Short mmCIF file of all heavy atoms in Angstrom, two decimals:
data_model
loop_
_atom_site.label_atom_id
_atom_site.label_comp_id
_atom_site.label_asym_id
_atom_site.label_seq_id
_atom_site.Cartn_x
_atom_site.Cartn_y
_atom_site.Cartn_z
N THR A 69 8.20 -15.60 1.72
CA THR A 69 7.14 -14.65 2.09
C THR A 69 6.97 -13.58 1.02
O THR A 69 5.85 -13.24 0.63
CB THR A 69 7.47 -13.99 3.44
OG1 THR A 69 7.56 -15.00 4.45
CG2 THR A 69 6.40 -12.99 3.83
N GLY A 70 8.10 -13.04 0.54
CA GLY A 70 8.05 -12.02 -0.50
C GLY A 70 7.37 -12.52 -1.76
O GLY A 70 6.47 -11.87 -2.31
N PHE A 71 7.77 -13.70 -2.22
CA PHE A 71 7.18 -14.25 -3.45
C PHE A 71 5.71 -14.62 -3.25
O PHE A 71 4.88 -14.46 -4.16
CB PHE A 71 7.98 -15.46 -3.93
CG PHE A 71 9.23 -15.10 -4.66
CD1 PHE A 71 10.48 -15.45 -4.17
CD2 PHE A 71 9.18 -14.39 -5.85
CE1 PHE A 71 11.65 -15.10 -4.85
CE2 PHE A 71 10.33 -14.04 -6.54
CZ PHE A 71 11.57 -14.40 -6.04
N LEU A 72 5.37 -15.11 -2.05
CA LEU A 72 3.97 -15.45 -1.77
C LEU A 72 3.08 -14.22 -1.86
O LEU A 72 1.99 -14.26 -2.43
CB LEU A 72 3.85 -16.08 -0.39
CG LEU A 72 3.93 -17.60 -0.31
CD1 LEU A 72 3.94 -18.04 1.14
CD2 LEU A 72 2.77 -18.24 -1.05
N LEU A 73 3.55 -13.10 -1.28
CA LEU A 73 2.77 -11.88 -1.33
C LEU A 73 2.56 -11.42 -2.77
O LEU A 73 1.46 -11.03 -3.16
CB LEU A 73 3.48 -10.77 -0.53
CG LEU A 73 3.33 -10.83 0.99
CD1 LEU A 73 4.30 -9.87 1.65
CD2 LEU A 73 1.89 -10.48 1.40
N ILE A 74 3.63 -11.49 -3.55
CA ILE A 74 3.55 -11.04 -4.95
C ILE A 74 2.66 -11.96 -5.77
O ILE A 74 1.74 -11.50 -6.47
CB ILE A 74 4.96 -10.97 -5.57
CG1 ILE A 74 5.80 -9.91 -4.87
CG2 ILE A 74 4.87 -10.68 -7.07
CD1 ILE A 74 7.27 -9.95 -5.24
N ILE A 75 2.88 -13.26 -5.67
CA ILE A 75 2.14 -14.23 -6.50
C ILE A 75 0.67 -14.29 -6.09
O ILE A 75 -0.23 -14.22 -6.94
CB ILE A 75 2.79 -15.62 -6.40
CG1 ILE A 75 4.19 -15.59 -7.03
CG2 ILE A 75 1.92 -16.67 -7.08
CD1 ILE A 75 5.01 -16.85 -6.78
N TYR A 76 0.41 -14.40 -4.78
CA TYR A 76 -0.97 -14.56 -4.33
C TYR A 76 -1.77 -13.28 -4.59
O TYR A 76 -2.91 -13.34 -5.06
CB TYR A 76 -1.00 -14.91 -2.84
CG TYR A 76 -2.29 -15.57 -2.42
CD1 TYR A 76 -2.41 -16.95 -2.37
CD2 TYR A 76 -3.40 -14.79 -2.08
CE1 TYR A 76 -3.60 -17.55 -2.00
CE2 TYR A 76 -4.59 -15.39 -1.70
CZ TYR A 76 -4.69 -16.76 -1.65
OH TYR A 76 -5.87 -17.36 -1.29
N ALA A 77 -1.18 -12.12 -4.27
CA ALA A 77 -1.89 -10.86 -4.51
C ALA A 77 -2.08 -10.63 -6.00
O ALA A 77 -3.12 -10.14 -6.44
CB ALA A 77 -1.12 -9.70 -3.89
N GLY A 78 -1.07 -10.99 -6.81
CA GLY A 78 -1.18 -10.83 -8.26
C GLY A 78 -2.22 -11.75 -8.86
O GLY A 78 -2.96 -11.37 -9.77
N TRP A 79 -2.30 -12.98 -8.34
CA TRP A 79 -3.26 -13.97 -8.86
C TRP A 79 -4.69 -13.50 -8.65
O TRP A 79 -5.56 -13.68 -9.51
CB TRP A 79 -3.04 -15.30 -8.15
CG TRP A 79 -3.89 -16.42 -8.68
CD1 TRP A 79 -5.12 -16.80 -8.22
CD2 TRP A 79 -3.58 -17.29 -9.77
NE1 TRP A 79 -5.59 -17.87 -8.95
CE2 TRP A 79 -4.66 -18.19 -9.91
CE3 TRP A 79 -2.48 -17.40 -10.63
CZ2 TRP A 79 -4.69 -19.18 -10.89
CZ3 TRP A 79 -2.51 -18.39 -11.60
CH2 TRP A 79 -3.60 -19.26 -11.73
N ASP A 80 -4.96 -12.87 -7.50
CA ASP A 80 -6.31 -12.39 -7.21
C ASP A 80 -6.54 -10.95 -7.66
O ASP A 80 -7.60 -10.38 -7.39
CB ASP A 80 -6.58 -12.48 -5.70
CG ASP A 80 -6.83 -13.92 -5.25
OD1 ASP A 80 -6.93 -14.79 -6.13
OD2 ASP A 80 -6.94 -14.15 -4.04
N GLY A 81 -5.54 -10.37 -8.30
CA GLY A 81 -5.69 -9.00 -8.78
C GLY A 81 -5.53 -7.93 -7.72
O GLY A 81 -5.90 -6.77 -7.92
N HIS A 82 -4.95 -8.31 -6.55
CA HIS A 82 -4.75 -7.35 -5.47
C HIS A 82 -3.40 -6.64 -5.56
O HIS A 82 -3.19 -5.64 -4.87
CB HIS A 82 -4.85 -8.04 -4.11
CG HIS A 82 -6.22 -8.57 -3.80
ND1 HIS A 82 -6.44 -9.77 -3.16
CD2 HIS A 82 -7.44 -8.06 -4.08
CE1 HIS A 82 -7.73 -9.98 -3.05
NE2 HIS A 82 -8.36 -8.96 -3.59
N PHE A 83 -2.49 -7.18 -6.35
CA PHE A 83 -1.17 -6.55 -6.45
C PHE A 83 -1.28 -5.36 -7.41
O PHE A 83 -1.59 -5.52 -8.59
CB PHE A 83 -0.12 -7.54 -6.97
CG PHE A 83 1.29 -7.09 -6.75
CD1 PHE A 83 1.96 -7.40 -5.58
CD2 PHE A 83 1.97 -6.33 -7.71
CE1 PHE A 83 3.26 -6.99 -5.36
CE2 PHE A 83 3.25 -5.92 -7.50
CZ PHE A 83 3.91 -6.24 -6.32
N SER A 84 -1.05 -4.17 -6.87
CA SER A 84 -1.31 -2.95 -7.64
C SER A 84 -0.02 -2.16 -7.89
O SER A 84 0.64 -1.76 -6.93
CB SER A 84 -2.31 -2.06 -6.90
OG SER A 84 -2.50 -0.84 -7.58
N LEU A 85 0.29 -1.94 -9.16
CA LEU A 85 1.45 -1.12 -9.52
C LEU A 85 1.22 0.34 -9.18
O LEU A 85 2.19 1.11 -9.03
CB LEU A 85 1.78 -1.29 -11.00
CG LEU A 85 2.25 -2.69 -11.43
CD1 LEU A 85 2.51 -2.72 -12.93
CD2 LEU A 85 3.52 -3.09 -10.68
N SER A 86 -0.05 0.75 -9.04
CA SER A 86 -0.33 2.14 -8.68
C SER A 86 0.15 2.47 -7.27
O SER A 86 0.33 3.64 -6.92
CB SER A 86 -1.84 2.42 -8.80
OG SER A 86 -2.57 1.63 -7.87
N ASN A 87 0.37 1.43 -6.45
CA ASN A 87 0.89 1.67 -5.10
C ASN A 87 2.31 2.21 -5.11
O ASN A 87 2.80 2.74 -4.11
CB ASN A 87 0.88 0.37 -4.29
CG ASN A 87 -0.52 -0.07 -3.91
OD1 ASN A 87 -1.49 0.61 -4.21
ND2 ASN A 87 -0.62 -1.22 -3.26
N PHE A 88 2.98 2.07 -6.25
CA PHE A 88 4.38 2.50 -6.34
C PHE A 88 4.52 3.94 -6.83
O PHE A 88 5.62 4.44 -6.99
CB PHE A 88 5.16 1.57 -7.27
CG PHE A 88 5.26 0.16 -6.76
CD1 PHE A 88 4.33 -0.79 -7.12
CD2 PHE A 88 6.27 -0.20 -5.89
CE1 PHE A 88 4.40 -2.09 -6.64
CE2 PHE A 88 6.37 -1.50 -5.40
CZ PHE A 88 5.43 -2.44 -5.78
N THR A 89 3.42 4.64 -7.08
CA THR A 89 3.49 6.04 -7.50
C THR A 89 3.85 6.90 -6.29
O THR A 89 3.66 6.50 -5.14
CB THR A 89 2.16 6.51 -8.09
OG1 THR A 89 1.14 6.42 -7.08
CG2 THR A 89 1.76 5.65 -9.29
N LEU A 90 4.32 8.11 -6.55
CA LEU A 90 4.78 8.98 -5.47
C LEU A 90 3.66 9.75 -4.79
O LEU A 90 3.90 10.50 -3.85
CB LEU A 90 5.83 9.96 -6.00
CG LEU A 90 7.16 9.31 -6.42
CD1 LEU A 90 8.10 10.37 -6.99
CD2 LEU A 90 7.82 8.61 -5.25
N GLY A 91 2.41 9.58 -5.27
CA GLY A 91 1.30 10.29 -4.65
C GLY A 91 1.17 9.98 -3.17
O GLY A 91 0.97 10.87 -2.35
N GLY A 92 1.29 8.71 -2.83
CA GLY A 92 1.21 8.32 -1.43
C GLY A 92 2.36 8.88 -0.61
O GLY A 92 2.21 9.21 0.56
N PHE A 93 3.52 9.01 -1.24
CA PHE A 93 4.68 9.59 -0.54
C PHE A 93 4.40 11.05 -0.18
O PHE A 93 4.64 11.48 0.95
CB PHE A 93 5.92 9.49 -1.43
CG PHE A 93 7.08 10.32 -0.94
CD1 PHE A 93 7.84 9.90 0.13
CD2 PHE A 93 7.40 11.52 -1.56
CE1 PHE A 93 8.90 10.67 0.60
CE2 PHE A 93 8.46 12.28 -1.11
CZ PHE A 93 9.21 11.85 -0.03
N TYR A 94 3.88 11.82 -1.12
CA TYR A 94 3.60 13.22 -0.86
C TYR A 94 2.52 13.38 0.21
O TYR A 94 2.60 14.23 1.08
CB TYR A 94 3.17 13.93 -2.15
CG TYR A 94 4.23 13.90 -3.22
CD1 TYR A 94 3.93 13.51 -4.51
CD2 TYR A 94 5.55 14.26 -2.93
CE1 TYR A 94 4.91 13.46 -5.49
CE2 TYR A 94 6.52 14.22 -3.90
CZ TYR A 94 6.21 13.83 -5.19
OH TYR A 94 7.17 13.78 -6.15
N THR A 95 1.51 12.51 0.14
CA THR A 95 0.43 12.58 1.13
C THR A 95 0.95 12.25 2.52
O THR A 95 0.57 12.87 3.51
CB THR A 95 -0.70 11.60 0.77
OG1 THR A 95 -1.16 11.88 -0.56
CG2 THR A 95 -1.86 11.72 1.74
N ALA A 96 1.84 11.26 2.59
CA ALA A 96 2.35 10.81 3.90
C ALA A 96 3.29 11.83 4.54
O ALA A 96 3.29 12.01 5.75
CB ALA A 96 3.07 9.47 3.74
N THR A 97 4.12 12.48 3.73
CA THR A 97 5.16 13.34 4.28
C THR A 97 4.84 14.82 4.21
O THR A 97 5.39 15.62 4.96
CB THR A 97 6.49 13.10 3.54
OG1 THR A 97 6.31 13.41 2.14
CG2 THR A 97 6.93 11.66 3.67
N GLY A 98 4.01 15.21 3.28
CA GLY A 98 3.66 16.61 3.13
C GLY A 98 4.76 17.46 2.53
O GLY A 98 4.71 18.69 2.61
N VAL A 99 5.73 16.84 1.88
CA VAL A 99 6.84 17.61 1.31
C VAL A 99 6.49 18.06 -0.10
O VAL A 99 5.57 17.57 -0.73
CB VAL A 99 8.14 16.76 1.26
CG1 VAL A 99 8.51 16.29 2.64
CG2 VAL A 99 7.97 15.57 0.32
N GLN A 100 7.24 19.02 -0.59
CA GLN A 100 7.05 19.49 -1.95
C GLN A 100 7.59 18.47 -2.94
O GLN A 100 8.49 17.69 -2.62
CB GLN A 100 7.77 20.83 -2.14
CG GLN A 100 7.21 21.95 -1.25
CD GLN A 100 7.97 23.25 -1.47
OE1 GLN A 100 9.01 23.27 -2.10
NE2 GLN A 100 7.41 24.33 -0.96
N GLU A 101 7.03 18.48 -4.13
CA GLU A 101 7.42 17.52 -5.15
C GLU A 101 8.73 17.95 -5.81
O GLU A 101 8.77 18.34 -6.97
CB GLU A 101 6.30 17.37 -6.20
CG GLU A 101 5.01 16.82 -5.59
CD GLU A 101 3.96 16.55 -6.65
OE1 GLU A 101 4.34 16.41 -7.83
OE2 GLU A 101 2.78 16.48 -6.30
#
């Protein structure tokens, strides 16, 4: 399942490295950086 998500999303250009930035973390938790 893990490899399928990575390969299939990457093949279609849906796998985004920008999802790993901390911006979403700050937005979700509201904590200071």
Side-chain angles (χ1 to χ4, degrees):
T69 300
F71 280 117
L72 268 174
L73 281 168
I74 295 169
I75 294 170
Y76 201 95
W79 185 268
D80 285 353
H82 294 142
F83 196 89
S84 176
L85 294 179
S86 63
N87 289 357
F88 296 92
T89 62
L90 292 177
F93 167 76
Y94 299 130
T95 304
T97 61
V99 302
Q100 297 179 348
E101 298 185 21

